[in-house]
Amino acid sequence: MTSRQGAEPTEPMTPVVGIDIGGTKTHLRLRGPGVARDETVPTASWRLREWHADAAELLRLVADLSEGTAIAAMAVGAHGCDDGAECEAFEAAFDKSPFPVRVVNDAELMP
């Protein structure tokens, strides 16, 4: 058995975005070949608790973070998506996204 403790994560082959939406702050991370950007913003500065408005605001934040870099996919761990139906509703609100989006509860980001 090989231990992965201390191993560095590999860089994705195409740029991806991960977002952790917490109760107080939202952390956005962009990783890809030759690009690594992070931004943390207060959740209250953008989140309205309406799926479509929140999806639009997140896509705006991602566009600012990416600075024109093409995104292959985005994963969102969202505080407040407490069951499958809420995660599916938020995910469906990204229907105008130019890339695939997956939404889970933020507790699923722990593993």
Side-chain angles (χ1 to χ4, degrees):
M1 182 162 88
T2 304
S3 172
R4 299 264 312 150
Q5 185 173 357
E8 289 294 316
T10 59
E11 185 174 88
M13 298 300 290
T14 56
V16 294
V17 173
I19 301 175
D20 179 5
I21 303 170
T24 58
K25 65 184 176 189
T26 299
H27 183 196
L28 298 95
R29 174 168 281 176
L30 170 67
R31 292 292 186 271
V35 63
R37 295 189 194 115
D38 290 272
E39 185 172 348
T40 302
V41 298
T43 300
S45 71
W46 67 269
R47 196 169 194 189
L48 301 172
R49 296 261 181 205
E50 192 285 312
W51 300 131
H52 283 90
D54 289 352
E57 281 300 301
L58 275 182
L59 290 173
R60 183 188 60 77
L61 289 169
V62 167
D64 291 347
L65 178 70
S66 70
E67 299 177 348
T69 300
I71 307 290
M74 182 170 84
V76 178
H79 174 77
C81 280
D82 295 324
D83 61 36
E86 289 177 335
C87 290
E88 289 171 11
F90 194 17
E91 194 171 296
F94 286 93
D95 59 340
K96 298 206 181 348
S97 173
F99 43 79
V101 177
R102 175 82 165 116
V103 176
V104 298
N105 179 274
D106 64 334
E108 292 189 49
L109 301 178
M110 292 302 289

